[in-house]
Amino acid sequence: MIIFGTKGYLYQLAILTLVCAQCGNPAAHTLRKRVTKFTLFFVPLFPVSTKYTTQCTFCGAEHKVTAEQAEQLQGQALGGGQGYGQPHSQQPYQS
């Protein structure tokens, strides 16, 4: 018997102050990366999909962004892109 499936991981990449497209308030937004990995016998092997979103902390609205936009936003949060090549110290939230 072979046991396989998928498992989701949620990484918080940055917290930014942006104007929300939903409510129009300048509020903190979290930049998140959601990765779904294929698992075999409960061991995650490789990513199946990667999605980036921003979520407004004022109204809770969530908006999809592309990988390029996510890199630009993360660079803004790190002070002009100084953080390339640095490892992420945060652990993922598992869903």
Side-chain angles (χ1 to χ4, degrees), residues 57-79:
T57 58
F58 188 80
C59 69
E62 198 169 304
H63 300 283
K64 293 180 183 177
V65 294
T66 64
E68 293 81 19
Q69 290 172 334
E71 278 189 30
Q72 288 177 350
L73 290 171
Q74 191 174 9
Q76 288 176 6
L78 293 173

